[in-house]
């Protein structure tokens, strides 16, 4: 019996060494996979951030330019003047609509001409500063939207606002990444209250704080606090048995944070050959 064990010992040692090496190789491969995935997400998110920032700033600057032109007039903008200046811009900008809110709460729109708004919206906004509101349900379209208000002043008095309307469910048509065969989940978060401004997978998550049913794997820190503080970072999580990789980064406009996520199963690097080898010895 001892002789047989002695004869088998070299084989057992070799098998144990192979098992140890396989497990070590598997773990190294996983770390390399995560590192490469995070790098690709980081590069993609940086490209998206620059695209979003440039497009939003360009549209806001043009809105300010029109507001300045209207401010230099000696009369209230007429519907015809409003339509002439903004009809083309509305078609090419990120805004779903560009409205003109008058002091008497009359609203000019490109599609329904003059409407009466039965709220005290103008009185609430009566300020010389530009203003972006929170995500809300638009009264005209019943869609989740965010409005950006640019004041028009004459004789040091606000007489109207240009209102750029971002419609949340169409924002993702403008911004996407082709990495990982376009399987990333891209979101824009309003860090002032956590509302989701853009979601390219229509997961019906209105606020980032409501999607907490996941296990944080790495690193061990308060990710939501980091996002609300407009920080950059990356982390892995697990939800319903699926591992996910995230990268988050401030956009640089409107207190927005970009969040890019991909499921591990969607990555091309899934170490399946190592997993199979590991299973043989377990």
């Amino acid at each position: 019996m001892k002789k047989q064990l002695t004869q088998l010992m070299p084989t057992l040692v070799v098998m144990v060494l192979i098992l140890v090496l396989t497990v070590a190789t598997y773990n190294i491969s996983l770390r390399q996979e995560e590192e490469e995935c995070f790098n690709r997400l980081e590069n993609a998110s940086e490209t998206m951030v620059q695209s979003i920032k440039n497009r939003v700033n360009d549209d806001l600057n043009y809105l300010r330019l029109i507001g300045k032109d209207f401010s230099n007039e000696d009369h209230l903008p007429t519907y015809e003047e409003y339509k002439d200046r903004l009809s083309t811009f509305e078609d090419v900008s990120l805004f779903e609509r560009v409205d003109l809110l008058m002091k008497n709460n009359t609203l000019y729109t490109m599609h329904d001409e003059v409407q009466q708004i039965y709220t005290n919206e103008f009185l609430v906004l009566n300020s010389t500063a530009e203003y972006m509101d929170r995500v809300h349900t638009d009264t005209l379209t019943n869609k989740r939207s965010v409005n950006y208000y640019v004041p028009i002043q004459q004789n040091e008095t606000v007489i109207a606002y240009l209102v750029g309307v971002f419609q949340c469910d169409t924002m993702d048509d403008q911004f996407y990444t082709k990495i990982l065969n376009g399987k990333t989940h891209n979101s824009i978060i309003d860090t002032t209250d956590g509302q989701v401004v853009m979601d390219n997978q229509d997961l019906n998550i209105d606020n980032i704080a409501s999607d907490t049913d996941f296990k944080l794997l790495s690193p061990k820190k308060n990710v939501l606090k980091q996002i609300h503080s407009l920080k950059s970072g990356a982390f892995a999580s697990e939800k319903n048995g699926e591992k996910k990789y995230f990268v988050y980064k401030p956009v640089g406009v409107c207190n927005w944070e970009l969040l890019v996520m991909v499921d591990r199963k969607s990555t091309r690097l899934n170490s399946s050959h190592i997993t199979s080898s590991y299973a043989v010895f377990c």
Side-chain angles (χ1 to χ4, degrees), residues 98-218:
V98 180
D99 302 334
L100 184 63
L101 178 63
M102 307 298 284
K103 193 169 184 177
N104 60 357
N105 275 348
T106 298
L107 186 72
Y108 292 171
T109 73
M110 204 62 64
H111 310 289
D112 298 307
E113 297 190 359
V114 180
Q115 298 196 24
Q116 188 69 36
I117 304 300
Y118 298 102
T119 67
N120 61 345
E121 184 175 7
F122 190 93
L123 296 177
V124 172
L125 293 169
N126 193 10
S127 168
T128 58
E130 295 179 12
Y131 172 77
M132 172 167 274
D133 66 5
R134 303 290 183 264
V135 176
H136 62 277
T137 301
D138 186 82
T139 55
L140 300 183
T141 64
N142 205 34
K143 299 284 189 178
R144 282 168 51 84
S145 303
V146 183
N147 295 348
Y148 195 92
Y149 296 85
V150 174
I152 298 172
Q153 300 181 69
Q154 292 178 0
N155 298 321
E156 300 183 352
T157 301
V158 177
I159 62 166
Y161 287 95
L162 284 169
V163 186
V165 181
F166 295 104
Q167 187 168 301
C168 297
D169 64 0
T170 60
M171 288 279 286
D172 64 286
D173 295 337
Q174 307 291 334
F175 308 114
Y176 61 94
T177 174
K178 294 181 180 179
I179 69 163
L180 301 171
N181 299 318
K183 293 182 179 179
T184 57
H185 179 196
N186 312 317
S187 302
I188 295 177
I189 311 300
D190 184 347
T191 61
T192 56
D193 58 5
Q195 291 289 313
V196 177
V197 177
M198 182 190 85
D199 176 10
N200 73 324
Q201 292 190 7
D202 300 325
L203 298 182
N204 295 319
I205 299 173
D206 293 340
N207 194 299
I208 189 174
S210 64
D211 186 29
T212 57
D213 185 24
F214 59 84
K215 178 184 178 183
L216 191 64
L217 300 179
S218 64

Side-chain angles (χ1 to χ4, degrees), residues 37-51:
C37 186
F38 281 135
N39 287 338
R40 296 175 73 183
L41 290 179
E42 171 70 25
N43 292 335
S45 65
E46 181 61 32
T47 300
M48 290 184 67
V49 159
Q50 292 302 319
S51 177

Side-chain angles (χ1 to χ4, degrees), residues 19-37:
L19 177 59
V20 170
L21 288 173
T22 301
V23 173
T25 303
Y26 177 76
N27 290 331
I28 292 172
S29 177
L30 286 181
R31 287 195 295 270
Q32 291 176 338
E33 173 191 322
E34 287 193 354
E35 183 178 350
E36 183 167 346
C37 186

